[in-house]
Amino acid sequence: MKLSITREKLQKGLGAVSATIPARTTLPVLSNILLRADGDSVQLCGTDLDISVQVTIDAEVETAGAVTVPAKKFSEITRELEDAPVHLTADQDQIRIECGRSKFKLYGLPEGEFPTFPEVDFSESWKMSAEALQELISHTSFAASTEESRPILNGVLWQLRPESTTMVATNGHRLALMTKDLHEAGAPEADLIVPPKALGQVERLFDGEEQLEIARSANHLAFRSERRAVFTRLIEGPYPNFDQVIPKDNDKQVVANRAGLESAIRRMAVVASDQTHRVRLLFEPGAVKFRVQTPDLGEAEDELAVDYDGESLEIGFNANYLLEVMRYMSDDDVKLSFKAPERAATLEPAEGDSDYLCLVMPLRLLD
Amino acid sequence: MNVSRTILHVDMDAFYAAIEVRENPDLAGRPVVVGSDPKGGRGRGVVAAAGYEARQYGIRSAMPISEAYRRCPHAAFVRPRGILYAEVSGRILEILHRYTDVVEPLSIDEAFLDVTASAALFGDGRAIARSIKSEIRREESLSASVGVAPVKFLAKIASDLEKPDGLVVVDPGSEVEFLAPLAIGRLWGAGPKTLERLYAVGIRTFGDMQARDREQLVRLFGEAAGARFHRLCRGEDERAVRSERARKSLGKEITFDADVMDRRAVERTLFRLCEQVAAALRRRDLAGMTVMVKLRWEGFETVTRQVTLPRPVNTFEGIWPVAVRLLRDADRKGRRVRLVGVSLSGLVSEGRGQLSLFEAADGGDRQVARAVDALKKRFGRGAVTRAELLDEE
């Protein structure tokens, strides 16, 4: 393998792939990036066995070939090089990096040791705009669980239906759900449970304007554009029945200014317990009062005018859960609904028919 | 802080031994050693507690049981009955709670109380201390020593001065005078190394230390310790009495009779400990965020491993999978294990719990655990057990 490439393109490509490289691994080759030069481009691949990322970048290829290179050192070297063409030459498992008068040699591992990417057949693929997909991802995947106890909740549920597509994530305490009316030709009707890390790559790697081609196999899912691709393992279901926990009879409705509510909760959170992050909200006609009392720390109070005319309701929440779900509400106002102090609350943008809904379970108030 | 506080330190006198004598009057007047089986001087455990008669032979708690046996072979050696002591301790805590909510148990047999706000109802510190002592005597036939002082550090010293059955009051304003004649060995936070250095510079009493200025102490012991000693030797101690809610951690550990190589046996012990800790948390309506496992190998080398969970747990199902993983991570195969333990910290009151969207899935374990607790309470500890432990119990 012998090729020349601009330093800038190489660094960008390495940056895109490096995010999947595991920091520590028992399989040494996973610390490496696979370079495969052919025609007028070079393909970079990285994987942690769960997720694989591939990017293709323009290069002047003199001799085709492939080699794996330690990702961290290769990236560090590239970052330090002067802005000039970089010449890469592979000699068996070694790679020579030359740029201006700088010369490096890195010891790699044979291409054959690099794990093969999961086979996903693109003949039954469907298309979706990267922008729509990224919107679904950013609004939901933050809510996935990071606990070990229920692995299924570590994934994001992607429901593909003939007339719509929905993403849902929850850790059992708060839930984020977004639905889009999309009828993409060829999309299967399916419930896919996708690791949020893979969706994070989809969010990061593709430009919004790109049209993505998506395909699945029994255990894997793949997203690709002309020059980039993300492959991921799927988490085996079934996902809990989220529809069942969405409250249908929350009769107390509040409309609040989102920025005002957010900053009040942020202030209260400062004195909240760092274990429970509990804040008390007392909804009364026309206003919500906030109160925090933390033993051995202190107290805080605040108040915000809101649109509410129901009976008064006192309810406790983990401040972080409220702040997280409000971050992605796009409107100026947010609509909240409640039934009782120990029942799920809903939050959604106040304007019009919203395609975005979040649930937050309260914290018990009695001590 | 300008407001003078009234703090009590209540310390039970030779608690385990006194309970044993109470339960078995034949032991009265004899040296009583509570601890593991001395096995004729070859036993491996330690002394858990010694009665006053046994202490005259130089027997102290945490001393190897073989040493205690050598010093006094004719003592009454009794096995500790942890559950009994815990029950008595619980009832004594209830007595203390009659006088204030601000009770901080330090261990099974001592606690701090802040009775500043109780004066109007129950009288001054001395009066409250007297009634606590007499209620403990009347209801439990046990004696306690009480120290009354404006700060924790002095209350603790005071309770020890006239043991057993003591009552010492340090009035506000008399702190310096009270401490001056006392040996510096009573200084809180001074270990053998520090004491050695204190003696080396001629500080043998609190009075000696009071005579040094702050700069001297800082030069000798560093900024943090020097400044602290300067305050403490004048009886200044800002620590507040922290009630049970502010308890830091709850755990259990076991030293094996003989160091064990068999990892299944170690895990089995941890399994049982996890269950006990979970039940202890539930009894107190607490749950913990951080699981810590402690492992000691032969040769006394000790490691701890911990992990903080996203939400508090107080069920076996919540604790065990985490604990066993920590154990396996920490363990070094091929070495015998001397001790294993598990504890939960980051404790929160269960009533403040985060509710779950999928209660059926998340709440099931908790409901089962509560039901089992109720059965054990009603029918005894052996009424329900885990199948894994069946052949042991």
Side-chain angles (χ1 to χ4, degrees):
Chain A
M1 186 190 87
K2 190 167 183 188
L3 61 93
S4 302
I5 188 170
T6 70
R7 192 201 70 93
E8 195 193 344
K9 281 184 180 163
L10 180 61
Q11 193 181 348
K12 231 172 134 182
L14 288 172
V17 176
S18 295
T20 47
I21 310 275
R24 258 166 310 188
T25 168
T26 46
L27 191 60
V29 76
L30 296 186
S31 307
N32 287 14
I33 279 180
L34 173 67
L35 276 71
R36 194 184 280 131
D38 194 15
D40 54 7
S41 65
V42 59
Q43 191 185 51
L44 310 182
C45 314
T47 182
D48 63 1
L49 294 182
D50 285 336
I51 300 163
S52 305
V53 170
Q54 303 180 350
V55 298
T56 305
I57 38 185
D58 295 332
E60 280 176 40
V61 179
E62 209 169 299
T63 326
V67 67
T68 81
V69 193
K72 191 147 180 285
K73 288 295 168 197
F74 193 26
S75 301
E76 281 170 11
I77 289 169
T78 307
R79 191 168 56 233
E80 301 302 335
L81 292 175
E82 58 182 283
D83 232 340
V86 183
H87 307 284
L88 303 177
T89 318
D91 179 9
Q92 303 212 324
D93 302 334
Q94 299 176 4
I95 187 165
R96 279 211 316 274
I97 308 157
E98 293 176 13
C99 178
R101 302 175 72 169
S102 317
K103 291 181 180 149
F104 295 85
K105 186 156 80 177
L106 280 179
Y107 303 115
L109 288 165
E111 179 213 356
E113 283 189 25
F114 201 79
T116 46
F117 278 19
E119 288 289 329
V120 177
D121 181 5
F122 272 89
S123 67
E124 288 191 18
S125 67
W126 67 97
K127 288 202 165 61
M128 190 167 172
S129 93
E131 192 181 8
L133 187 58
Q134 286 166 341
E135 192 185 355
L136 287 168
I137 294 169
S138 66
H139 282 72
T140 56
S141 66
F142 71 90
S145 168
T146 51
E147 267 183 82
E148 295 163 50
S149 62
R150 296 181 70 190
I152 196 83
L153 296 187
N154 296 151
V156 176
L157 174 67
W158 188 12
Q159 272 194 334
L160 293 155
R161 296 290 179 266
E163 297 296 312
S164 67
T165 183
T166 300
M167 267 193 199
V168 185
T170 180
N171 66 350
H173 304 314
R174 49 106 170 83
L175 176 149
L177 174 152
M178 190 174 224
T179 300
K180 289 204 162 290
D181 294 333
L182 292 173
H183 12 95
E184 305 297 345
E189 198 171 324
D191 283 7
L192 307 171
I193 305 171
V194 193
K197 196 179 161 195
L199 294 176
Q201 293 297 329
V202 172
E203 214 183 338
R204 215 172 55 91
L205 201 63
F206 298 106
D207 296 329
E209 306 83 63
E210 283 185 292
Q211 193 71 7
L212 301 187
E213 206 183 341
I214 306 164
R216 67 167 297 195
S217 66
N219 304 315
H220 289 88
L221 185 67
F223 304 82
R224 76 177 183 195
S225 66
E226 198 187 331
R227 318 220 81 185
R228 284 168 272 224
V230 175
F231 294 78
T232 178
R233 181 182 58 84
L234 287 168
I235 300 174
E236 276 182 55
Y239 200 81
N241 186 350
F242 68 88
D243 204 38
Q244 214 171 349
V245 302
I246 295 175
K248 316 278 191 289
D249 58 348
N250 275 7
D251 49 3
K252 300 179 178 62
Q253 303 224 339
V254 181
V255 174
N257 175 267
R258 182 173 61 93
L261 188 59
E262 232 182 311
S263 55
I265 293 170
R266 205 178 296 280
R267 279 192 292 275
M268 295 298 101
V270 175
V271 233
S273 148
D274 53 11
Q275 305 283 355
T276 65
H277 308 283
R278 184 178 69 182
V279 294
R280 283 166 189 264
L281 282 69
L282 174 62
F283 290 95
E284 286 175 334
V288 52
K289 289 177 180 153
F290 304 86
R291 197 151 59 88
V292 175
Q293 278 178 308
T294 307
D296 301 323
L297 179 59
E299 304 176 5
E301 279 180 19
D302 213 324
E303 193 173 333
L304 178 74
V306 296
D307 183 359
Y308 179 59
D309 54 11
E311 53 191 277
S312 74
L313 170 84
E314 188 170 29
I315 189 165
F317 286 107
N318 179 328
N320 289 346
Y321 288 164
L322 289 179
L323 291 172
E324 274 174 355
V325 301
M326 275 193 289
R327 191 177 313 151
Y328 301 97
M329 304 273 163
S330 44
D331 290 351
D332 288 347
D333 289 341
V334 55
K335 186 166 84 191
L336 302 93
S337 83
F338 307 92
K339 172 80 181 166
E342 301 205 351
R343 302 281 289 277
T346 70
L347 286 89
E348 60 194 306
E351 298 292 314
D353 266 348
S354 171
D355 52 4
Y356 187 40
L357 177 72
C358 293
L359 309 187
V360 181
M361 277 308 276
L363 280 159
R364 281 202 188 88
L365 280 179
L366 39 126
D367 293 315
Chain B
M1 262 196 285
N2 305 322
V3 190
S4 173
R5 311 206 68 81
T6 308
I7 291 169
L8 268 56
H9 180 253
V10 178
D11 195 6
M12 299 303 296
D13 300 321
F15 187 53
Y16 296 175
I19 294 175
E20 291 300 338
V21 173
R22 179 187 84 177
E23 301 289 307
N24 179 4
D26 291 350
L27 297 178
R30 290 183 58 194
V32 175
V33 177
V34 180
S36 55
D37 188 346
K39 293 179 181 157
R42 295 183 318 278
R44 289 172 39 92
V46 293
V47 174
Y52 287 99
E53 292 82 357
R55 292 184 196 186
Q56 286 170 7
Y57 293 87
I59 298 171
R60 297 283 179 269
S61 54
M63 174 183 277
I65 199 79
S66 51
E67 168 78 11
Y69 187 84
R70 198 182 56 69
R71 286 172 185 251
C72 184
H74 61 277
F77 287 91
V78 296
R79 298 301 84 70
R81 290 189 274 176
I83 297 163
L84 172 64
Y85 309 153
E87 282 167 6
V88 177
S89 176
R91 290 198 296 268
I92 289 168
L93 273 180
E94 281 170 24
I95 295 176
L96 303 184
H97 273 285
R98 291 171 197 166
Y99 295 90
T100 174
D101 282 338
V102 192
V103 177
E104 175 184 0
L106 284 183
S107 65
I108 196 163
D109 61 351
E110 55 176 326
F112 282 117
L113 284 73
D114 186 333
V115 295
T116 312
S118 313
L121 274 173
F122 302 106
D124 64 5
R126 184 187 299 272
I128 293 176
R130 280 212 188 101
S131 13
I132 286 176
K133 278 165 62 76
S134 71
E135 283 180 28
I136 292 176
R137 176 162 305 284
R138 191 169 63 239
E139 294 174 31
E140 293 294 332
S141 309
L142 294 171
S143 82
S145 295
V146 183
V148 183
V151 300
K152 281 169 117 176
F153 164 57
L154 291 181
K156 182 148 166 107
I157 291 181
S159 71
D160 193 51
L161 282 184
E162 291 180 4
K163 250 181 176 307
D165 204 15
L167 170 56
V168 173
V169 179
V170 185
D171 289 316
S174 70
E175 294 93 338
V176 171
E177 190 188 336
F178 167 79
L179 280 171
L182 298 179
I184 201 69
R186 294 180 181 273
L187 180 65
W188 170 56
K193 282 263 166 60
T194 307
L195 286 179
E196 215 170 273
R197 286 164 65 199
L198 287 166
Y199 296 153
V201 294
I203 297 179
R204 304 205 147 258
T205 64
F206 280 91
D208 295 338
M209 190 180 269
Q210 287 161 359
R212 308 300 175 99
D213 60 27
R214 190 179 175 282
E215 285 61 40
Q216 267 179 302
L217 293 173
V218 165
R219 212 161 40 242
L220 286 167
F221 301 102
E223 181 58 45
R228 199 163 56 84
F229 289 169
H230 184 256
R231 286 196 309 274
L232 281 176
C233 75
R234 284 166 180 71
E236 294 166 23
D237 174 12
E238 266 99 63
R239 290 173 301 156
V241 176
R242 297 162 69 97
S243 48
E244 171 84 1
R245 194 171 298 156
R247 184 188 178 110
K248 290 271 170 48
S249 72
L250 195 153
K252 284 188 185 293
E253 56 187 49
I254 277 185
T255 304
F256 292 101
D257 287 341
D259 299 341
V260 294
M261 188 57 101
D262 179 4
R263 263 37 186 184
R264 275 174 317 182
V266 176
E267 288 189 8
R268 209 176 158 85
T269 302
L270 183 68
F271 185 100
R272 212 165 40 233
L273 291 174
C274 286
E275 214 185 32
Q276 290 169 6
V277 169
L281 287 166
R282 291 194 298 273
R283 264 200 303 284
R284 293 168 175 79
D285 289 321
L286 293 171
M289 302 279 294
T290 301
V291 180
M292 185 175 89
V293 164
K294 179 173 172 186
L295 189 59
R296 176 173 294 155
W297 293 290
E298 53 190 335
F300 240 71
E301 194 192 334
T302 310
V303 291
T304 59
R305 287 285 161 88
Q306 64 176 53
V307 62
T308 297
L309 308 171
R311 59 175 172 170
V313 290
N314 67 0
T315 59
F316 171 83
E317 286 76 9
I319 299 170
W320 163 250
V322 181
V324 74
R325 185 170 52 77
L326 291 172
L327 175 77
R328 288 175 188 164
D329 283 355
D331 200 4
R332 274 181 243 145
K333 296 280 150 33
R335 297 184 65 178
R336 289 176 188 281
V337 174
R338 184 183 173 89
L339 169 151
V340 64
V342 60
S343 69
L344 273 283
S345 57
L347 301 184
V348 295
S349 155
E350 202 191 15
R352 297 182 201 183
Q354 170 69 55
L355 296 161
S356 168
L357 282 164
F358 308 101
E359 188 56 38
D362 290 352
D365 293 341
R366 206 166 56 231
Q367 285 159 19
V368 170
R370 286 286 185 193
V372 169
D373 291 345
L375 283 172
K376 285 185 172 175
K377 196 168 178 186
R378 181 146 174 218
F379 299 110
R381 301 215 312 147
V384 189
T385 191
R386 289 191 177 272
E388 289 90 333
L389 299 173
L390 260 183
D391 50 338
E392 289 189 358
E393 293 184 9

